Structures are given as C-alpha cells and as structure tokens.
C-alpha cells in the first residue's frame, strides 16, 4: 500500500519492485546478487528516490520513502535491502549534511547514473558500530590521499556495489569515513554469506581492503552525529521488514482460499481459526504501518532529535510485527508452509533478520519512555 506516493514516485517504486520480483528467485538460489539482478536494480531508477530534486533526484520525504520501501520489502527483502542501503545513505547524507562537498557530489552522480552505494561500518571484532568502539580498519595518509586497509562484514549487496562509505580509524585515533570505489585495486570480496539463515539473495559478504588508495577529497573528518542518520536508516529497516510481514499475509490469504482438504470439502478460508489468525496478522501489520508512517511524518514536519524516539519504536514494532506475522502464517498454513511450494518458509527466515538491526528493542522503547518521562535515556 503506497497511498502517500505521487505518480512519479509510484512509477519508480513499481519498476524497482518488478525488477526485484524478476530476479529474487535466481539470487536466492545463487545466494548472492547476480549480475543481472544488479543491472536491473540500477536500471529501475530507484537510486534517485531520496536524492534532492536540485541534485537530479526525486526528493522523496521520509514518509514517502517508508511507503516505497514497504512495497519493495513485499517483493523480496534481500534485494529490497540492497536498494534500502543506497537510499538511506543518500537521504541521510544530504539532509544531515555530514559529508563534505566532493563526497556529496560523488553520491549525487552515482544516484543519477544508477550506481549502487552502501555504508560499510561493521567489523568481525567490532560488531555493529551502534554501540561504539574504534574500527580495526585503518586510513593512513599517503601522498595526496589515503591508504585504506581492513575488513568489513555484512556488506549488503557486496558484489553489486559501485561505491561504499567506509569507516576507518586514522593513526591519531579519529574515526573518519571514506568514499571508496568498489572496483579499485585492493578491494576484495569474501563469500561469507553463503548458507546464511536469512536474506540469502542479499550477498551480504565480507569486503576486504588491502592498501586501497582513496583520493584526499573523498574523506569525511569526524563531525557531530546528525539525527538524520538514524531517521533514514531505521525507516529503511522498518519498512523493508514490515513488507515481509505483508507478503506473508498475502501468501496465507491466497493459500487459504485455494486449499480445499477432502475432509472439509471447502477452502480452509471458511474455518473460524484461519479467519481469526488472518485477522490477527492483518491487524498487527496495519498497526505497525500506521505507526511507521506517523513517525516518518513527524520527522518530515520537524526533523530534529525529538522525532527520533518515535522512529526507533516504529522500527522495533515493525520488525517484531513481521516476525509475529510470518510465524503465525506458517502455523496457520501447516506443513505446506515448510516446503518451497509456499514462500512462507523464506519469509519466516527473512523476517527474523529484522531483529538484528540496531537499535535493539530495549534501546528503542527506552528512548521513547525517557522522552515521555522527561529524563535522559539510559542504556
């Protein structure tokens, strides 16, 4: 449901969703983003979605972004996340203004040209950077640029990426970000995502940097954090995984209408228990969608720190609603849900991945609670 989208935004969202549906099965089987899928994602025009209009983009608001990304999540979470990573990076960078001019210009060009970008921050020892810590990846001055060495984990769409915003530590202990050409000498990809529980088609492999040269003007020095970074990332995650929940609802409804056991002589849709479960799933998903769109609208009206706790709770509620929806859909459909005949087993696995993204549930709810209590949030 994308009722908040203009015809232009609806059109590009529909193109991206068609591209995702066309290639999702092949990517799931390959356990990676295939070259054909990457090309289709680039050609969809979705990379322009969150780029400001004055830079050649479509200028989607956060509420519009939530609605668009929810549609992509329904198509397939793994490939939807590849586009989600690009669009949240671009949306936050331009709204927050946390990157220097040359890096913003490069992101704008990439978005207009359909090249894919992600931010790479997680590391094997560091884990998620959301809890703090100094990266092991290093950026050392070298001539007119920087010498980048290290490893990043969970690089969604690794093989499909053209550029990456990579966090690294300088010899002085500062954490900086560099815009790296993913086709440059010294960039490597290790296939660590094969056999993953969820999002098998996302190709979220490790990326290694062995003395990669980065031009001097493509480094962002440390700057105070901007709430836009959280707003766009959390919305991307919430909407994508909520889409998984709606996909499970659609699959269950279709199955319940078609499944006619011999002993019943009618579709299982006529059973009170099935009707109740479908209603429960739909109610929880619609509540999560309403909460997400309301929180995103609040940010659009006043993009400040005060709007962030509501977005954190929307992320927590949406990801948990997706897990609940897919679980109940599997329970309702029965044994058929465990086979490839229905998409429910994949949707159940993919939904679980939503719980791993920051912020954690306790942080999300605690931040809103602290705001309402008028005290500082404690972790």
């Amino acid at each position: 449901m994308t009722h908040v989208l203009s015809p232009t935004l609806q059109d590009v969202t529909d193109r991206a969703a068609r591209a995702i549906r066309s290639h999702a099965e092949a990517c799931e089987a390959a356990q990676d983003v295939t070259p054909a899928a990457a090309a289709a994602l680039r050609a969809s025009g979705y990379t322009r979605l969150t780029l400001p209009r004055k830079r050649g983009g479509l200028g989607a608001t956060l509420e519009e972004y939530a609605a668009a990304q929810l549609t992509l999540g329904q198509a397939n979470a793994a490939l939807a996340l590849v586009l989600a990573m690009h669009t949240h990076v671009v949306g936050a960078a331009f709204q927050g203004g946390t990157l220097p001019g040359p890096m913003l210009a490069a992101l704008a060009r990439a978005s207009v040209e359909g090249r894919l970008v992600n931010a790479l921050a997680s590391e094997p020892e560091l884990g998620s950077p959301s809890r703090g810590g100094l990266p092991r990846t290093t950026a050392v001055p070298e001539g007119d640029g920087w010498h980048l060495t290290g490893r990043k984990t969970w690089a969604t769409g690794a093989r499909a990426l053209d550029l990456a915003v990579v966090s690294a530590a300088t010899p002085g202990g500062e954490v900086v970000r560099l815009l790296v050409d993913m086709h440059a000498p010294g960039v490597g990809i290790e296939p660590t995502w094969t056999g993953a529980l969820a999002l098998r088609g996302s190709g979220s492999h490790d990326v290694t940097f062995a003395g990669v040269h980065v031009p001097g003007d493509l480094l962002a020095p440390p700057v105070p954090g901007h709430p836009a970074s959280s707003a766009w990332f959390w919305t991307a995650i919430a909407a994508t995984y909520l889409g998984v929940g709606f996909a499970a609802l659609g699959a269950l409804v279709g199955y319940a209408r078609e499944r006619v056991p011999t002993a019943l002589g009618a579709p299982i849709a006529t059973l009170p228990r099935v009707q109740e479960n479908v209603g429960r799933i739909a109610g929880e998903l619609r509540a999560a969608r309403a909460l997400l769109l309301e929180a995103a609208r609040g940010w659009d009206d006043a993009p400040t720190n005060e709007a962030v706790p509501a977005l954190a709770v929307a992320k927590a509620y949406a990801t948990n609603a997706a897990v609940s929806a897919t679980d109940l859909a599997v329970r309702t459909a029965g044994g058929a849900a465990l086979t490839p005949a229905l998409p429910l087993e994949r949707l159940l696995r993919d939904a679980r991945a939503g719980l791993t993204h920051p912020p954690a549930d306790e942080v999300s709810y605690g931040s809103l609670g602290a705001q309402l209590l008028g005290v500082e949030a404690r972790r």
Side-chain angles (χ1 to χ4, degrees):
M1 181 177 182
T2 53
H3 60 279
V4 301
L5 297 182
S6 68
T8 299
L9 294 180
Q10 185 70 66
D11 179 63
V12 76
T13 299
D14 289 343
R15 288 205 306 270
R18 286 194 297 270
I20 287 171
R21 289 191 178 95
S22 297
H23 295 276
E25 185 175 341
C27 291
E28 184 83 3
Q31 298 192 61
D32 212 337
V33 180
T34 64
L41 296 181
R42 294 187 182 103
S44 71
Y46 198 83
T47 55
R48 297 173 57 225
L49 189 81
T50 59
L51 183 69
R53 290 188 182 90
K54 64 182 180 181
R55 305 300 290 262
L58 300 177
T61 64
L62 195 66
E63 184 184 7
E64 291 169 334
Y65 179 45
Q69 199 61 39
L70 197 156
T71 296
L72 300 198
Q74 286 185 256
N76 175 260
L79 293 181
L81 280 174
V82 176
L83 290 176
M85 295 302 114
H86 176 103
T87 44
H88 94 78
V89 168
V90 172
F94 280 91
Q95 187 170 40
T98 54
L99 298 177
M103 291 179 72
L104 290 177
L107 286 180
R109 285 195 301 273
S111 299
V112 171
E113 294 169 2
R115 291 183 289 148
L116 293 168
V117 179
N118 195 357
L120 308 184
S122 298
E123 297 184 359
E125 290 150 346
L126 178 68
S128 170
S130 62
R131 294 287 188 175
L134 194 66
R136 288 292 183 91
T137 301
T138 60
V140 178
E142 179 190 50
D144 61 349
W146 296 84
H147 192 83
L148 181 68
T149 302
R151 174 188 292 267
K152 296 296 181 180
T153 58
W154 306 328
T156 301
R159 297 190 197 280
L161 297 178
D162 299 292
L163 295 171
V165 180
V166 181
S167 60
T170 67
E174 293 183 321
V175 178
V176 297
R177 289 171 295 164
L178 305 96
L179 188 61
V180 181
D181 179 354
M182 290 292 287
H183 306 294
V187 177
I189 296 173
E190 295 189 7
T192 53
W193 200 250
T194 55
L197 172 67
L199 308 172
R200 292 174 181 171
S202 69
S204 300
H205 305 301
D206 284 12
V207 177
T208 59
F209 304 97
V212 178
H213 177 74
V214 181
D217 62 347
L218 296 183
L219 178 140
V223 294
H226 193 284
S229 299
S230 296
W232 287 88
F233 179 63
W234 297 348
T235 298
I237 295 303
T240 301
Y241 288 101
L242 189 56
V244 175
F246 275 104
L249 174 62
L252 176 60
V253 167
Y255 178 71
R257 289 172 174 169
E258 297 170 0
R259 170 65 173 154
V260 182
T262 303
L264 181 62
I268 63 171
T270 61
L271 296 174
R273 182 61 174 168
V274 171
Q275 295 167 5
E276 177 189 350
N277 287 353
V278 168
R280 286 181 180 274
I281 293 170
E284 187 170 8
L285 293 176
R286 290 177 182 182
R289 181 176 61 197
L291 181 62
L292 174 60
L293 294 179
E294 177 186 290
R297 195 177 313 123
W299 169 266
D300 290 332
D301 291 341
T304 66
N305 276 314
E306 281 62 45
V308 170
L311 289 166
V313 167
K315 178 268 174 186
Y317 196 85
T319 51
N320 280 279
V323 170
S324 176
T326 54
D327 180 70
L328 188 52
V330 167
R331 291 169 183 260
T332 306
L338 304 180
T339 73
L342 292 176
L344 290 174
E345 61 89 18
R346 174 181 54 79
L347 295 171
L348 176 70
R349 291 187 286 103
D350 286 351
R352 295 293 304 181
L355 304 179
T356 67
H357 295 279
D361 288 359
E362 66 271 17
V363 175
S364 297
Y365 289 111
S367 66
L368 181 60
Q371 183 184 60
L372 295 175
L373 292 167
V375 298
E376 184 178 351
R378 300 286 296 274
R379 292 193 178 186

